Amino acid sequence: MPLFKRTDLLMGNRFDLALVGSHDDEAMAALEKAVHEIQRIEQLLSTYRPDSQTNRINEQAGISPVVVDQEVFDLIQRAQRISDLSQGAFDLTYGSLDKSLWNFDQEMTSLPSPDKAKKSVQLIDYQLIELDSNQRSVFLKKKGMRIGFGGIGKGYAADCAKTVLQGLGFQHGLVNASGDLCAWGKNENGKSWSIGIVHPDNPDRIIADFALNNSAVATSGNYEKFVMIQGLKYSHTIDPHTGYPIQGIKSVTVFAPFAELADALTTPLAVMGVSVGLDLINQIPGLGCVIIDDNNQIFYSDNIQHASIGLLH
């Protein structure tokens, strides 16, 4: 069957959507509706839109609770569970990070002092997000705190787009939100969709292929955004406990039933480190991960073969 594709810049990222179908007009109209759904979510979650619910929450930090849509409230609630699970390695309040210390551009030639680094993350504390389910309100307890959905929003949007497309009757498709990907059904050749994990030192080289059977995957790597200082690579992933970029891990790939969950777990696994990260994934049914450390050693979670993922080669 023919494959219909569309690429858009949404939520500040490239989104690739694909459907397997028989009618050109129907498929393209469905992809248009999926794009509108992603734009709707962007309007809710974006910190770049002054009228977004996220910005309203941030503007009222330390002042008063903000009533939000049930959808936004539920997403924040799920994010809080990931924070608990990862002991704060995942934290929506990372938006409070002092960006002036970590711009990761060519002008950055030295690391900030430990005191400055620690100070830059002093407002990052997910436990200071107060949720009131009766009022459906969100309150950041300290002035200056900010939440952001950079670590979970793309995955959530991919899942929502998938739900729209399935609701329109498309049984085979794929949504790729710049590496946060969900796939269902089969590809245009009647085979499982597949994902390649790239070598962190050479993103053009695939080191492993996995079949995706109605599941999702997300990858985070230190090759995406980084700075070199005195011969060492420092990635854009900041440990919220120390204020410093994480060390020891080059790449994390997480397989999960939903893109939101896969997206939300990649950064905390990088922060937690290989052994603690693997231990966490091994305790949760239906999840799998592949971690590549600074020495290019590859680690697989125990349950990767049980997470609807087949190793192709």
Side-chain angles (χ1 to χ4, degrees):
M1 291 181 80
L3 182 70
F4 300 97
K5 296 191 287 188
R6 175 168 175 166
T7 298
D8 289 83
L9 184 64
L10 301 158
M11 303 178 77
N13 291 273
R14 173 177 165 151
F15 275 69
D16 296 290
L17 295 87
L19 284 176
V20 178
S22 55
H23 301 292
D24 191 331
D25 292 346
E26 280 183 17
M28 297 314 289
L31 291 173
E32 179 76 17
K33 287 181 179 175
V35 167
H36 285 160
E37 174 69 354
I38 296 165
Q39 289 170 333
R40 183 187 69 79
I41 291 159
E42 182 175 13
Q43 177 60 48
L44 289 174
L45 305 183
S46 173
T47 53
Y48 297 101
R49 294 173 183 254
D51 56 342
S52 73
Q53 295 193 16
T54 307
N55 270 336
R56 283 195 4 241
I57 293 167
N58 292 339
E59 285 164 5
Q60 293 301 312
I63 301 169
S64 66
V66 173
V67 175
V68 297
D69 291 359
Q70 190 67 52
E71 175 182 14
V72 175
F73 187 89
D74 291 345
L75 180 60
I76 294 173
Q77 204 164 48
R78 292 195 299 274
Q80 292 293 78
R81 291 194 201 109
I82 301 286
S83 295
D84 282 333
L85 201 63
S86 65
Q87 298 174 334
F90 175 88
D91 197 318
L92 280 186
T93 63
Y94 80 92
S96 318
L97 181 70
D98 185 348
K99 301 289 194 301
S100 64
L101 292 185
W102 299 115
N103 49 18
F104 293 99
D105 62 18
Q106 297 308 310
E107 294 170 19
M108 188 174 170
T109 55
S110 62
L111 293 174
S113 69
D115 282 349
K116 264 192 175 179
K118 191 72 176 168
K119 199 171 279 187
S120 77
V121 294
Q122 64 185 348
L123 288 173
I124 299 178
D125 186 351
Y126 74 96
Q127 293 177 320
L128 295 178
I129 301 176
E130 189 176 273
L131 298 176
D132 184 330
S133 53
N134 292 325
Q135 299 295 320
R136 213 177 62 231
S137 67
V138 183
F139 179 48
L140 306 182
K141 291 184 179 180
K142 282 189 179 178
K143 206 162 178 57
M145 285 182 71
R146 292 176 58 82
I147 60 169
F149 292 90
I152 195 171
K154 284 196 285 105
Y156 175 63
D159 288 333
C160 290
K162 171 189 169 183
T163 299
V164 166
L165 294 169
Q166 285 183 318
L168 292 168
F170 288 88
Q171 298 174 11
H172 311 278
L174 177 146
V175 180
N176 183 358
S178 291
D180 302 335
L181 183 152
C182 59
W184 66 102
K186 305 291 183 184
N187 65 19
E188 70 273 28
N189 300 315
K191 297 179 179 177
S192 296
W193 299 96
S194 65
I195 178 77
I197 296 178
V198 302
H199 193 295
D201 297 335
N202 181 6
D204 293 328
R205 182 180 152 209
I206 302 292
I207 58 172
D209 285 320
F210 291 87
L212 288 177
N213 297 310
N214 298 314
S215 58
V217 62
T219 297
S220 178
N222 71 356
Y223 49 84
E224 294 164 336
K225 192 176 181 184
F226 62 90
V227 67
M228 299 295 294
I229 298 174
Q230 295 178 345
L232 290 175
K233 182 186 277 189
Y234 293 93
S235 83
H236 69 292
T237 304
I238 304 291
D239 184 336
H241 302 115
T242 65
Y244 274 118
I246 61 122
Q247 294 283 292
I249 289 179
K250 287 183 176 180
S251 166
V252 175
T253 299
V254 175
F255 298 90
F258 305 102
E260 175 193 316
L261 185 57
D263 185 12
L265 285 172
T266 54
T267 297
L269 290 189
V271 171
M272 295 163 85
V274 175
S275 59
V276 179
L278 285 174
D279 186 52
L280 173 64
I281 294 295
N282 287 336
Q283 292 179 58
I284 306 173
L287 296 186
C289 74
V290 179
I291 301 175
I292 304 174
D293 72 6
D294 278 351
N295 300 313
N296 287 340
Q297 190 171 351
I298 304 175
F299 300 86
Y300 299 91
S301 61
D302 294 342
N303 48 0
I304 196 166
Q305 292 298 330
H306 305 289
S308 298
I309 307 150
L311 187 59
L312 298 181
H313 65 73

